[in-house]
Amino acid sequence: MRHVLAGLVIILFLAGIAAFAYAWESAIAPIDPPARGTFDQATVARGERLAAIGNCSTCHTRPGGRAYAGGLALNTPFGTIHSTNITPDPETGIGRWSFEAFTRSMRRGVDRAGQHLYPVFPYDHFTLVTDEDNRALYAFLMTRDPVSESAPANQLRFPLNQRMLIAGWKLLYLREGPYQGDQTQSAEWNHGAYLAQGLGHCGACHTPRNALGAERRDREFAGGEAEGWVAYAINAQSPAPVPWTAESLQFYLRNGWHAQHGVSRGPMAQVTTNLGVVPESDLRSVAAYVADQMKEAAPKQGKPASPRAGEHQKAGTNPASGDSQTTVAVGPGASPGEAIYGSACAGCHDSGRAQPYGGLDLRLSTAVQAPDPTNIVNVVLYGLAPAEGERSPIMPGFGAAISDAQLEGLLTYLRGAFSSEPPWSNLSALIARQRASAVALRATDGALQAPAQPNQRVTAW
């Protein structure tokens, strides 16, 4: 028995050494911060567009903070992780990172000092990025204004605060790139796949995750969770009542709205805002690829809209209306939910006023048709705030004016009146959670932020 125990100890010791050797990464020597003039302006401009596709500024800028200076609290099921400073500050940012160090972080999730990065930084997608595009991103970031600002310490439970454990996660789930094209598809499709799977990291939100926070590759694009919102399926399981096409997706990604699908909201609002500087050819490629993933999605046959909506609202082509704030009379036998709709909602949603400034015909609303009502609960409670300094859609939040029971009645009415889908279950529990939880989100400046913790976002890792 003593020999057996001694053998086990030796095996464990050797296994520990092997694990340490596998997880250990060397530091890459620091460099003197390169001068701005060393970077080609065309490369910098391309890097700016790529950073917009990657939505880099959203995660690496805290509310009220300097762009790319980090500090944003990313609330995960495992604890809170703060985004890092990626300005070229030599002490608190990446000013002393070589291109080699930058590429390693993108491809393998390891920083310059040799520390494993938590996969809240989606290097499982960024690993697909080519060297050429990484050079453009590096040039763009190294020509930003340096900001001296350190991120707060992460707050993770033991043993997850031991970064070497992330090497085991990578062993299971990281498949290093770069992107390998599909020779059976067109160049446009492949370019769209490269952007959507890589820098765009669409699956980070639109794919469900397992208990370790990794995407379930067997259910790619089948829908997921993003910052307290549902990221709808963007494959054949899409719940959109009108199927998306490449043309409608391209318009939506460029403008943040579409007449048959409504306006972008929640974290998607930030995505479509950033895509405003992206070349049309890139958006067309992404739209072609994503639309191909949804090509088997069938149109859903919802119930007719309320009489005031009229036949002219078919396909979302509502004529403009000068009066979008009227109320709709309801009969004495109306349910409480219908009465609330008539007095508070129909003035916009039955007005006939065109998108994006009119309320969407709710027969066309994915939120009403979807199997999970989280998004419509969020929108009714917290509204859609206008974009700062420009014309944009707006919806007031009714959280302070409506009780949980009234909201449940309203949503029950909407589901029955504008959809042929079965009633939602557990509405009351969901409403209470979204209203009371510290991460129940409200719309602020086109983003969703927690009322009790306004500097946090919610993500999977």
Side-chain angles (χ1 to χ4, degrees), residues 323-345:
D323 180 11
S324 63
Q325 300 301 317
T326 58
T327 59
V328 175
V330 295
S335 68
E338 183 180 1
I340 294 172
Y341 177 81
S343 63
C345 312

Side-chain angles (χ1 to χ4, degrees), residues 169-199:
W169 189 94
K170 293 177 182 178
L171 180 64
L172 293 172
Y173 302 115
L174 177 60
R175 301 293 179 264
E176 290 188 36
Y179 173 77
Q180 300 297 319
D182 184 341
Q183 300 305 312
T184 67
Q185 298 289 347
S186 67
E188 181 178 70
W189 187 98
N190 273 291
H191 184 56
Y194 165 71
L195 293 176
Q197 294 178 16
L199 272 177

Side-chain angles (χ1 to χ4, degrees), residues 262-282:
V263 302
S264 61
R265 55 193 183 273
M268 192 64 199
Q270 298 164 323
V271 172
T272 55
T273 296
N274 284 327
L275 292 178
V277 301
V278 173
E280 206 67 48
S281 58
D282 285 342

Side-chain angles (χ1 to χ4, degrees), residues 142-438:
M142 288 305 228
T143 53
R144 300 308 89 205
D145 291 333
V147 180
S148 179
E149 186 172 329
S150 297
N154 296 329
Q155 299 172 351
L156 293 168
R157 299 186 299 270
F158 181 84
L160 296 177
N161 57 359
Q162 305 301 305
R163 289 180 179 266
M164 278 199 168
L165 289 181
I166 298 300
W169 189 94
K170 293 177 182 178
L171 180 64
L172 293 172
Y173 302 115
L174 177 60
R175 301 293 179 264
E176 290 188 36
Y179 173 77
Q180 300 297 319
D182 184 341
Q183 300 305 312
T184 67
Q185 298 289 347
S186 67
E188 181 178 70
W189 187 98
N190 273 291
H191 184 56
Y194 165 71
L195 293 176
Q197 294 178 16
L199 272 177
H201 60 286
C202 302
C205 292
H206 290 279
T207 297
R209 294 178 180 266
N210 64 21
L212 294 179
E215 294 174 33
R216 295 186 55 181
R217 299 297 186 182
D218 60 327
R219 298 189 60 200
E220 187 174 26
F221 295 156
E225 186 273 343
E227 302 170 32
W229 291 71
V230 171
Y232 296 126
I234 52 173
N235 57 14
Q237 300 171 36
S238 167
V242 175
W244 287 93
T245 64
E247 292 74 19
S248 61
L249 273 168
Q250 182 178 349
F251 185 93
Y252 175 82
L253 294 175
R254 168 64 71 202
N255 299 283
W257 67 276
H258 187 271
Q260 295 180 339
H261 298 279
V263 302
S264 61
R265 55 193 183 273
M268 192 64 199
Q270 298 164 323
V271 172
T272 55
T273 296
N274 284 327
L275 292 178
V277 301
V278 173
E280 206 67 48
S281 58
D282 285 342
L283 294 183
R284 183 166 55 250
S285 294
V286 171
Y289 168 72
V290 176
D292 187 61
Q293 309 309 300
M294 296 193 287
K295 63 185 178 183
E296 301 300 328
K300 298 180 182 299
Q301 303 299 322
K303 293 183 179 180
S306 59
R308 183 177 171 85
E311 288 303 313
H312 59 263
Q313 288 197 333
K314 289 180 180 178
T317 54
N318 304 346
S321 170
D323 180 11
S324 63
Q325 300 301 317
T326 58
T327 59
V328 175
V330 295
S335 68
E338 183 180 1
I340 294 172
Y341 177 81
S343 63
C345 312
C348 286
H349 288 283
D350 281 3
S351 70
R353 189 179 185 190
Q355 289 280 297
Y357 306 116
L360 180 68
D361 174 358
L362 293 181
R363 294 176 302 174
L364 305 177
S365 170
T366 302
V368 172
Q369 304 287 338
D372 187 322
T374 296
N375 290 358
I376 196 167
V377 170
N378 286 338
V379 169
V380 176
L381 285 177
Y382 304 115
L384 300 172
E388 185 176 356
E390 60 182 272
R391 296 181 65 191
S392 67
I394 184 173
M395 175 177 161
F398 293 92
I402 193 171
S403 70
D404 288 7
Q406 289 172 323
L407 178 53
E408 183 176 1
L410 171 63
L411 298 183
T412 298
Y413 168 73
L414 297 181
R415 183 71 160 179
F418 299 102
S419 166
S420 58
E421 300 295 326
W424 287 307
S425 60
N426 299 320
L427 257 181
S428 58
L430 173 63
I431 292 168
R433 183 174 73 248
Q434 293 302 95
R435 189 196 288 272
S437 170

Side-chain angles (χ1 to χ4, degrees), residues 91-171:
E91 305 304 327
T92 64
I94 62 171
R96 296 190 182 277
W97 285 39
S98 63
F99 175 68
E100 178 189 3
F102 179 78
T103 301
R104 183 172 73 169
S105 72
M106 295 285 285
R107 286 272 171 81
R108 298 177 53 209
V110 179
D111 72 5
R112 189 195 65 77
Q115 294 189 103
H116 290 280
L117 299 173
Y118 291 102
V120 68
F121 176 61
Y123 49 79
D124 53 335
H125 289 273
F126 294 168
T127 188
L128 301 178
V129 179
T130 64
D131 285 344
E132 180 184 8
D133 283 351
N134 274 329
R135 288 192 182 278
L137 281 167
Y138 180 73
F140 170 71
L141 293 173
M142 288 305 228
T143 53
R144 300 308 89 205
D145 291 333
V147 180
S148 179
E149 186 172 329
S150 297
N154 296 329
Q155 299 172 351
L156 293 168
R157 299 186 299 270
F158 181 84
L160 296 177
N161 57 359
Q162 305 301 305
R163 289 180 179 266
M164 278 199 168
L165 289 181
I166 298 300
W169 189 94
K170 293 177 182 178
L171 180 64

